[in-house]
Amino acid sequence: MANVADRLLKGSLWVSVSRAVTNGLSTLSTIILAWYLLPSDFGVVAIATTILVIVQTVTDMSLNEALIRHPDPNESHFSAAWTLSAMRGAILSFVLAAISYPLAALYEEPRLPGIIIVLSLSVFVGGLANPKRIMLQRDLVFWQEFVLNVSQKIAGFVVTVAVAMIYHSYWALVVGVVVSQVVMVGASYLVMPFMPRIKFGHIREFLSFSIWITAGQIVNTLNWRFDYLLIGKFLDTSSIGFYSLGGTLAATPTREATAPLTAVIYPAFANVRSDVKRLAAAYQRSQALVTAIALPAGIGTAVVADPLVRLALGEKWLPVIFIMQALASVYAIQTLGSLSQPLGMALGKTKTLFFRDTQMLLVRVPIVTIGLVFWGLPGLIISRIFTGVFAAIVNMFVVKRFIDLPVSAQLWANFRALLSSAIMAACVLLLHSYLGTKSTPLDLAWQLGGLITAGAVSYCGSSLLLWVMMRYPDGPESEAAKIISKIVLKFRPARFKS
């Protein structure tokens, strides 16, 4: 157990560095693109990428997850996975190219065919990636993942920014995706050498595991992507651009803050799935830690959205402020039950996950559609708030079904994070109200820095105070104390030797 814990810690550190680099480049790229491109540019590319994601998800076979869960995969399994992936990529590339012109007619957008055809190349290239690289994640080895993620992100960043600055064109968003995929595929064979062969064995073995995961992903993708398609029909491309960029910025802090943990959680759960008590304990510790990080990241982003957008994106992107405020808060709240997915996959309860996603689709589609049709973009955002909170509640009940952990116990484990986040939000909002709205870049920068500092101090201070008042219970604070103690003990001998 100690060895697994050490590998989890090392893996999280590698993923942390990787995500810090890639997130920094992504954020910088988004800011640069926002200055050089128009909201309508983001909108038309968002329609194309949404179609791309839906088509990919509908045909996804969850080969990586199947390989991770397999007790002893061999070269034959890897070659079979590569063959299936390559065939899928080639077929999808052709299908996307074929439907590009009908879609352009449907959305009355002449730029769509070229964008979809070029993006279809990234699907074909992505299908050639090395499936054996997933064994690194299975074995909780993540430095190679660092190489993969950082190399493709740097390549995509350089190309995207160069095209945007030179041509001021939406092609910057498209070409960067293709270049990133090409670099990722090449790097996947460098970090884990593998010579694929065409094999058609193990198909039934893969499908028996992935059928419910794939079905769930289809439903889940339609659930969370269909709104882009609706906006494309009912609103203009500029509105899609605001919604797309706002949603991306709102999701980034929560996603990136928790990525070092979530990247290692599924293989960690899979390693202890045979022991229900250990799995339940691992879930509670992991969920509490994820929430303690995600809540302040998401809620914090929401309360500083105004000066952040004004400073980083400029006046033409002001409609993004409300979108960020609403969605960042929702994404943070949804982390309360977000680990139900890797938990269910580790237990092999993929059918239950599918039914959960189907129920969410049946609830979310009519609510979001009504909000959009009758009240436009604001109505869509409000409906996202209601459905997001509902999804968090559903996920907690799913966890109760998996490991018999009451919803009240799940909420209590996150009580300090919830209360501390509320205190942080109140402090930041009061300070922002006192400072007022700034206009110059320098004033905005000082204001943003002050708000972030106030938020960090109020959250950490209130969390620590609550932890002490509750007599040091197990939770994120004790986990952080253990990590700090390990780091101090690790470096203390070096100090004495010197």
Side-chain angles (χ1 to χ4, degrees), residues 189-204:
Y189 290 93
L190 293 177
V191 300
M192 178 65 79
F194 173 62
M195 180 60 68
R197 294 177 174 83
I198 297 177
K199 287 187 177 294
F200 294 96
H202 308 292
I203 292 179
R204 181 175 297 179

Side-chain angles (χ1 to χ4, degrees), residues 69-108:
R69 198 172 186 275
H70 195 284
D72 187 25
N74 54 41
E75 295 296 311
S76 177
H77 289 91
F78 299 132
S79 289
W82 182 88
T83 301
L84 290 172
S85 179
M87 289 178 58
R88 170 178 169 271
I91 294 171
L92 285 188
S93 181
F94 175 79
V95 170
L96 286 166
I99 67 174
S100 61
Y101 284 95
L103 286 171
L106 176 65
Y107 284 98
E108 300 179 354

Side-chain angles (χ1 to χ4, degrees), residues 98-319:
I99 67 174
S100 61
Y101 284 95
L103 286 171
L106 176 65
Y107 284 98
E108 300 179 354
E109 178 51 72
R111 295 175 291 179
L112 268 182
I115 296 173
I116 293 176
I117 290 172
V118 173
L119 286 176
S120 70
L121 295 177
S122 70
V123 177
F124 172 72
V125 173
L128 303 176
N130 181 2
K132 196 173 183 179
R133 74 190 189 281
I134 201 64
M135 290 298 98
L136 299 170
Q137 185 176 341
R138 170 192 168 108
D139 297 332
L140 305 179
V141 178
F142 288 91
W143 71 264
Q144 290 97 331
E145 284 290 314
F146 171 84
V147 175
L148 278 172
N149 294 333
V150 173
S151 61
Q152 75 174 87
K153 179 57 68 174
I154 290 176
F157 172 81
V158 171
V159 172
T160 298
V161 171
V163 173
M165 295 180 70
I166 295 173
Y167 298 103
H168 295 202
S169 170
Y170 60 87
W171 283 110
L173 295 163
V174 179
V175 177
V177 173
V178 178
V179 171
S180 294
Q181 280 291 84
V182 172
V183 172
M184 183 276 292
V185 171
S188 70
Y189 290 93
L190 293 177
V191 300
M192 178 65 79
F194 173 62
M195 180 60 68
R197 294 177 174 83
I198 297 177
K199 287 187 177 294
F200 294 96
H202 308 292
I203 292 179
R204 181 175 297 179
E205 185 178 347
F206 284 131
L207 293 180
S208 65
F209 170 80
S210 65
I211 183 170
W212 289 112
I213 295 180
T214 300
Q217 287 175 338
I218 293 171
V219 173
N220 205 31
T221 300
L222 291 174
N223 196 354
W224 298 105
R225 285 281 183 170
F226 84 97
D227 42 6
Y228 287 90
L229 303 180
L230 280 179
I231 296 175
K233 286 299 297 178
F234 290 98
L235 302 177
D236 55 27
T237 52
S238 293
S239 297
I240 305 176
F242 292 132
Y243 184 64
S244 175
L245 185 60
T248 299
L249 293 176
T252 297
T254 300
R255 183 184 66 240
E256 301 303 331
T258 58
L261 285 170
T262 55
V264 301
I265 280 173
Y266 170 54
F269 285 173
N271 284 334
V272 297
R273 66 180 183 271
S274 58
D275 188 332
V276 178
K277 289 185 178 180
R278 288 179 64 192
L279 180 60
Y283 174 85
Q284 286 182 280
R285 292 172 62 188
S286 300
Q287 183 63 72
L289 188 56
V290 166
T291 304
I293 298 172
L295 273 176
I299 301 298
T301 298
V303 293
V304 302
D306 188 294
L308 177 61
V309 170
R310 293 177 187 275
L311 176 65
L313 305 181
E315 296 293 320
K316 68 180 179 182
W317 291 98
L318 290 184

